[in-house]
Amino acid sequence: MKIINVVAAIMQQHQRILIAQRDRQSDLAGYWEFPGGKIEQNETPVQALVRELEEELNINHIQVTDYIATSTIQQPERIIQLQAWKVVAWQGEIQLRCHTNFCWVTPDEALNYQLAPADIPLLLAYQQT
Ligand code: C5P
């Protein structure tokens, strides 16, 4: 089965984290997630994160501090390996280019949202940091 390596950012500001809602065209439409996406060939996870956050949120010069955890989820025809990194600073105003919505929530509040399944263990790991 195909393994897809994906990276996501747990962006932190004033004790809150950012979650974004996937758009109707995507798989997991309407689910909330940490922004990110597939790691391309010859990219490190952090390079992929830099590219994805610029593409999805229009921000750059991100400051990545810690690796949080990796979760593995089996989908019908592929396995998603999703790794999360903590991002504590960036430049630019957030503008959504792929998602329909975003919000800043406390980690506890995030649990009230319909999160993508692979993101839930990452949130729990973040809460332990
Ligand atoms: O964002 P993109 O579609 O490139 O991500 C690839 C796959 O990784 C998605 O189809 C989704 O299943 C999964 N994903 C996820 N949680 C994230 C980001 C992506 O489950 N935070």
Side-chain angles (χ1 to χ4, degrees):
M1 186 158 324
K2 201 167 171 196
I3 297 178
I4 310 283
N5 287 303
V6 184
V7 66
I10 302 188
M11 295 170 60
Q12 173 184 297
Q13 193 176 59
H14 309 308
Q15 321 294 329
R16 289 173 181 264
I17 55 176
L18 182 143
I19 54 174
Q21 192 170 30
R22 292 179 69 86
D23 78 15
R24 290 194 199 90
Q25 266 54 276
S26 63
D27 66 320
L28 298 174
Y31 278 77
W32 293 79
E33 67 175 9
F34 299 117
K38 295 186 195 87
I39 303 173
E40 290 178 359
Q41 260 185 354
N42 305 321
E43 262 185 343
T44 65
V46 171
Q47 285 169 340
L49 204 56
V50 168
R51 178 182 52 71
E52 287 285 347
L53 292 189
E54 175 134 39
E55 285 174 9
E56 294 189 349
L57 303 182
N58 196 38
I59 58 172
N60 49 44
H61 297 290
I62 64 168
Q63 188 182 337
V64 182
T65 53
D66 305 291
Y67 163 79
I68 305 289
T70 298
S71 67
T72 303
I73 294 284
Q74 183 150 358
Q75 294 182 342
E77 284 166 11
R78 57 187 193 168
I79 293 168
I80 301 283
Q81 281 196 332
L82 177 67
Q83 54 179 281
W85 294 74
K86 191 191 288 187
V87 173
V88 298
W90 53 90
Q91 284 181 16
E93 286 290 311
I94 292 171
Q95 288 177 351
L96 295 184
R97 290 173 165 171
C98 303
H99 297 88
T100 55
N101 209 347
F102 77 97
C103 58
W104 290 100
V105 291
T106 65
D108 282 348
E109 287 167 350
L111 288 167
N112 296 325
Y113 288 73
Q114 187 182 37
L115 295 172
D119 294 54
I120 296 171
L122 302 180
L123 173 61
L124 300 179
Y126 172 79
Q127 286 181 304
Q128 305 301 315
T129 63

